[in-house]
Amino acid sequence: MIPKKEIDKVLAGYENDSITIGTIGSHSALQILKGAKDEGFDTLAICTKDRAEFYKDWNFIDNVLVIGSYKDILKKNVQEKLIKDNVILIPHGSFVEYVTPKSIEEKLYTPLFGNRSVLHWESDRRKGREWFNLAGIKIPKEFSHPSEIDRIVIVKFPGAKGGRGYFLARNEGEFNKKIKGIKLTMKEKNNFTIQEYIIGTRFYLQFFYSPIIKKVELLGIDIRYESNIDGLVRIPSYLLAGYEIEPGYVVTGNIPVVVRESLLPRIMEIGNNIVGASKRLFPPGIIGPFCMETVCTEDMNFVSFEISARIVAGTNLYLQGSPYSQLLYDEPMSTGRRIAREIKMAVDIGKLAEVIY
Ligand code: AMP
């Protein structure tokens, strides 16, 4: 892990009145760079050759840096250029996936918005549970061995991106039968997590924590469209009887949602508790956007099964702001723009190092 002091040293050399906000051209880059431009920053998309023309086409993107592969962002000459141009990088889902948490922690000297220590906590399920437990957040029961399965469970694998390979089982027999048919390497197969399947409504809560104004904000909520599960529920059960179609959970889109207002106090409690626990576990804790993946059960309890500790693609719904961001801001406030606003506020009061690592 590169010590924070090293990154602070790089940041100390930056000209604060000519900062460029940059990210990898993918995922939520358009939202991030549009938001940065709206806040008055220069903007940079870093992408492979095949995507360069696409990103050059947007008038809010000032520069496009073409690299051979996304991991090339770690190359000495690329980082030297980014640092010379006062670039602050914004991590997003594809950024973390392509560059990998380990390389970001150990090889990326370019200042990154947020606290990179969080990558460690979000990518390791055991650590994630420790975090949720400390925050007092309800989590699905986990079974350490298939013989313990006594209800419907969802079986998950690391590296099975976007839910690919996940399956449901009701007992050990079903588990053994289904795991045989999964197309994963032996190493991936042996690294399964057996989790109680929570029945209810899924809500993906998009939060933002500002260390500058010391506040947790709810910027939006969405529900993910997942394939093929969202197609399967449209087929009457009598037509499915006799078929063994395994549901899949691969994200294909996002739909906006508002929750009944009486749920909002509990939602804010979840956001605040997650931030509070993160400050204790990896000070100064989580910074900027994060998303809690939850299921709200019929007795109005939230069970959280995952956290994404950075901007999620579901925020792309709310380029003009969400019903919740509109209550907080009298102007269109996407999560991308909120990130740039935080950087701007931090620069203005001389505290940029507090939102960068
Ligand atoms: P994940 O990879 O943990 O984000 O899970 C992918 C998808 O699987 C989620 O978006 C949910 O639709 C579903 N899912 C995951 N865990 C659970 C759970 N414990 N109970 C119900 N559905 C779940």
Side-chain angles (χ1 to χ4, degrees):
M1 184 79 162
I2 303 170
K4 165 92 163 97
K5 266 193 289 187
E6 294 283 314
I7 306 289
D8 283 348
K9 238 189 267 168
V10 175
L11 197 63
Y14 272 31
E15 290 167 40
N16 282 351
D17 52 357
S18 55
I19 283 174
T20 290
I21 302 257
T23 195
I24 282 179
S26 188
H27 193 267
S28 46
L30 293 176
Q31 182 198 154
I32 291 168
L33 299 179
K34 168 82 168 72
K37 185 48 73 185
D38 288 343
E39 292 298 306
F41 288 103
D42 284 343
T43 56
L44 169 74
I46 304 155
C47 50
T48 45
K49 199 165 160 233
D50 54 324
R51 294 198 182 169
E53 288 311 312
F54 172 78
Y55 283 99
K56 272 182 190 157
D57 251 2
W58 302 93
N59 61 7
F60 53 83
I61 298 180
D62 299 310
N63 288 298
V64 171
L65 175 66
V66 179
I67 52 179
S69 82
Y70 292 115
K71 274 210 152 184
D72 286 355
I73 201 170
L74 300 167
K75 281 189 170 165
K76 192 161 175 272
N77 62 327
V78 174
Q79 293 209 55
E80 276 171 0
K81 176 164 174 45
L82 295 175
I83 291 170
K84 185 172 92 20
D85 292 343
N86 306 302
V87 174
I88 291 177
L89 292 172
I90 314 296
H92 53 55
S94 305
F95 188 126
V96 176
E97 190 183 321
Y98 298 151
V99 187
T100 75
K102 197 166 153 49
S103 296
I104 293 174
E105 285 170 357
E106 291 171 7
K107 296 183 191 152
L108 189 67
Y109 282 85
T110 312
L112 196 69
F113 176 74
N115 179 359
R116 68 179 77 186
S117 316
V118 78
L119 295 171
H120 203 60
W121 285 84
E122 78 157 357
S123 57
D124 180 334
R125 275 194 207 279
R126 260 211 324 261
K127 282 198 160 304
R129 290 180 82 78
E130 187 185 336
W131 185 1
F132 283 13
N133 282 332
L134 188 67
I137 284 163
K138 242 180 132 176
I139 50 181
K141 184 175 163 59
E142 278 193 12
F143 300 89
S144 44
H145 192 268
S147 61
E148 295 169 8
I149 300 173
D150 62 357
R151 62 195 79 184
I152 301 177
V153 295
I154 180 163
V155 181
K156 305 182 180 185
F157 303 91
K161 300 278 169 342
R164 213 163 285 130
Y166 289 11
F167 64 83
L168 304 186
R170 288 172 295 188
N171 50 48
E172 187 178 13
E174 276 184 3
F175 174 94
N176 288 337
K177 188 172 151 210
K178 289 185 179 180
I179 200 157
K180 270 196 204 119
I182 297 294
K183 287 194 195 87
L184 291 175
T185 63
M186 270 325 269
K187 196 172 162 221
E188 283 170 327
K189 274 194 196 187
N190 287 334
N191 212 346
F192 57 79
T193 300
I194 306 174
Q195 204 173 73
E196 170 188 14
Y197 190 86
I198 309 293
I199 299 172
T201 321
R202 288 167 306 122
F203 291 124
Y204 299 74
L205 314 173
Q206 303 162 7
F207 291 106
F208 188 95
Y209 175 62
S210 162
I212 299 300
I213 58 168
K214 305 210 172 348
K215 193 172 170 215
V216 177
E217 299 171 339
L218 177 67
L219 292 184
I221 307 177
D222 71 291
I223 296 184
R224 291 182 188 163
Y225 264 127
E226 290 170 339
S227 193
N228 58 6
I229 182 70
D230 289 316
L232 277 175
V233 295
R234 292 168 57 86
I235 304 174
S237 57
Y238 76 90
L239 286 178
L240 287 174
Y243 287 98
E244 280 190 36
I245 305 176
E246 195 54 43
Y249 297 86
V250 176
V251 183
T252 52
N254 303 81
I255 22 177
V257 64
V258 286
V259 296
R260 47 194 290 181
E261 192 160 314
S262 57
L263 292 174
L264 286 177
R266 177 66 192 127
I267 286 176
M268 290 315 298
E269 201 182 313
I270 292 173
N272 279 298
N273 289 356
I274 276 290
V275 171
S278 74
K279 286 182 182 178
R280 288 167 63 191
L281 292 172
F282 49 97
I286 194 162
I287 292 167
F290 64 100
C291 175
M292 295 295 293
E293 302 183 16
T294 69
V295 177
C296 183
T297 56
E298 64 180 330
D299 51 3
M300 298 286 173
N301 277 316
F302 282 88
V303 183
S304 301
F305 56 88
E306 187 89 70
I307 183 168
S308 297
R310 49 183 160 69
I311 187 168
V312 289
T315 61
N316 285 337
L317 283 169
Y318 302 124
L319 277 165
Q320 287 297 312
S322 77
Y324 299 110
S325 72
Q326 281 164 29
L327 294 169
L328 292 164
Y329 294 94
D330 286 323
E331 58 192 322
M333 187 56 72
S334 68
T335 295
R337 185 170 184 181
R338 185 63 188 84
I339 293 170
R341 176 72 55 93
E342 189 75 3
I343 294 172
K344 195 161 97 178
M345 285 193 296
V347 167
D348 286 348
I349 58 170
K351 289 190 171 176
L352 186 56
E354 288 193 16
V355 299
I356 301 296
Y357 181 17

